[in-house]
Amino acid sequence: MSFDECKTALQNSCICVLPTETVYGLACSAFSPKAVDKVFSLKNRPTSNPLIVHVLDHVEASKISYTNKFSEKLAKAFWPGPLTMVLPKKECIPYKISADLDTVAIRSPSHREFRKMLRSVKFPIAAPSANKSNKISPTRYQDVLSEFGNDCPPIVDGGSCQIGIESTVLDLTTDIPEILRLGSCSKEDIESVICCEVNSPEGKCKIDNFTSKSRKSPGQMKKHYAPETPLYIYPSFEKLISDSFSEDSDVILLPSKNYIIKNSGAELTIQYLSKKGDPKEIAQNLYHSLRFLDNFRKDKMFTSLFPWDNGVLSAVNDRLIRASTACI
Ligand code: TXA
Ligand code: MG
């Protein structure tokens, strides 16, 4: 499916799928309430969950929101890229996009094809991740096709997404800026640019704060980016590889080939997120690996959280926690 077909869809209040550097997005004109309805409907997304609007740069952002000194500095430092800023919205943004809030989430994606589309249609593009609500975001063309099947809108194939997890969402409408969703743009990255404190949920994504006491049922989770196969989280990767697995029906997700399962009497399906444990590569492969393992339709999936102190791995931990059924 071609770029032109997607462009025509956007211009005619229809929807299409575009690649970004984070994940693929289900795109529509941010000025067309009719097209926004189609996005919510195909995703089965509750209308209470607002969409991100994509623009070329900070000047374009200032046409649809009330920008400020912080947004200007952050855009200079991180745009185009995986940082979404929540700002007071201007009237031109329909309330359907903002879920009746007076704010709008905005980012400028760096993917070449998405930018080409923004230049071509000359209006801002709203795009949530191109997956059914509460499922895993797609990071490859094939993942989008398998997500929507026969209902799939036209897609621009942009290869596999370089970053692999969704953007950092930063609320700039509160007294102290607050990270609402962790991503590859870290709290430290943001603080160093605006020279002030930023609130973040980071601590909750550390292994010490995620124990069987804190996590008993998926119902406790706010959101559930779940694979079909139940995912269980071990207290550490060391504990995971030293356990005895006897079930052929188990699958295991490990950071790198340095981890070798010792006591297995079973034909385990093992997936490595990275060759050598590189954090960027781990993030890049996370969603595709979960989808790949899910396709085996086995009984249980096992992994652990990352103990290493690194911005993007906190975001990976956050997604693993949301994808998990329970911890062990
Ligand atoms: O990397 C990304 O951000 C991808 C690509 C396609 O750009 N998009 C994405 O969109 O992940 P979505 O809809 O799956 O996630 C948007 C997140 C949601 O958690 C939503 O609640 C939050 O941003 N959000 C959107 N507008 C908001 C607002 N006005 N205030 C607070 N949160 C908002
Ligand atoms: Mg999403």
Side-chain angles (χ1 to χ4, degrees), residues 15 26-28 35-44 51 128:
I15 59 180
L26 188 58
C28 69
V36 173
D37 278 343
K38 290 179 186 165
V39 165
F40 276 98
S41 157
L42 183 59
K43 268 184 77 77
N44 292 331
L51 307 183

Side-chain angles (χ1 to χ4, degrees), residues 181-199:
R181 179 176 71 185
L182 295 170
S184 62
C185 189
S186 72
K187 169 179 155 78
E188 291 73 27
D189 293 338
I190 294 167
E191 285 177 339
S192 72
V193 169
I194 57 177
C195 303
C196 88
E197 188 196 350
V198 167
N199 286 332

Side-chain angles (χ1 to χ4, degrees), residues 43 45 128-129 131 137 166 181 225:
K43 268 184 77 77
R45 183 173 175 118
S129 51
N131 51 285
S137 296
E166 305 88 344
R181 179 176 71 185
Y225 294 96

Side-chain angles (χ1 to χ4, degrees), residues 22 45 49-50 52 54 103 105 107 128-129 166-167 181 223:
T22 57
R45 183 173 175 118
N49 192 3
I52 294 176
H54 300 72
T103 57
R107 89 174 185 98
S129 51
E166 305 88 344
S167 62
R181 179 176 71 185
K223 278 186 194 159

Side-chain angles (χ1 to χ4, degrees), residues 151-311:
D151 296 333
C152 200
I155 314 173
V156 172
D157 184 356
S160 67
C161 301
Q162 255 191 339
I163 292 175
I165 54 172
E166 305 88 344
S167 62
T168 305
V169 177
L170 177 70
D171 189 353
L172 287 176
T173 66
T174 44
D175 285 345
I176 300 175
E178 183 179 357
I179 295 179
L180 302 179
R181 179 176 71 185
L182 295 170
S184 62
C185 189
S186 72
K187 169 179 155 78
E188 291 73 27
D189 293 338
I190 294 167
E191 285 177 339
S192 72
V193 169
I194 57 177
C195 303
C196 88
E197 188 196 350
V198 167
N199 286 332
S200 155
E202 214 145 349
K204 291 181 198 145
C205 304
K206 294 264 191 296
I207 190 93
D208 298 346
N209 298 327
F210 185 73
T211 61
S212 47
K213 274 189 205 136
S214 69
R215 183 72 213 292
K216 284 198 181 114
S217 79
Q220 283 177 276
M221 301 306 296
K222 259 199 183 151
K223 278 186 194 159
H224 201 61
Y225 294 96
E228 298 294 326
T229 317
L231 174 70
Y232 295 90
I233 297 198
Y234 266 71
S236 69
F237 286 113
E238 284 69 25
K239 184 106 180 45
L240 171 58
I241 59 171
S242 65
D243 211 348
S244 314
F245 288 92
S246 55
E247 298 290 335
D248 287 349
S249 56
D250 293 343
V251 297
I252 296 185
L253 185 63
L254 290 170
S256 75
K257 293 198 169 167
N258 297 335
Y259 291 84
I260 297 160
I261 304 275
K262 289 164 193 148
N263 309 317
S264 175
E267 293 252 336
L268 296 171
T269 304
I270 300 174
Q271 176 80 355
Y272 300 99
L273 287 169
S274 156
K275 274 194 199 119
K276 294 184 181 160
D278 172 55
K280 276 191 184 151
E281 207 181 343
I282 288 170
Q284 193 178 40
N285 291 326
L286 178 71
Y287 285 150
H288 187 70
S289 298
L290 286 173
R291 280 177 175 273
F292 174 75
L293 290 176
D294 217 11
N295 284 335
F296 287 94
R297 295 283 177 258
K298 299 264 184 149
D299 289 348
K300 288 178 188 153
M301 240 192 260
F302 297 100
T303 192
S304 178
L305 300 184
F306 293 88
W308 313 318
D309 198 13
N310 175 294

Side-chain angles (χ1 to χ4, degrees), residues 103-118:
T103 57
V104 59
I106 307 178
R107 89 174 185 98
S108 179
S110 66
H111 197 289
R112 207 171 51 97
E113 295 294 323
F114 205 118
R115 296 188 71 74
K116 189 172 146 195
M117 190 61 84
L118 282 168

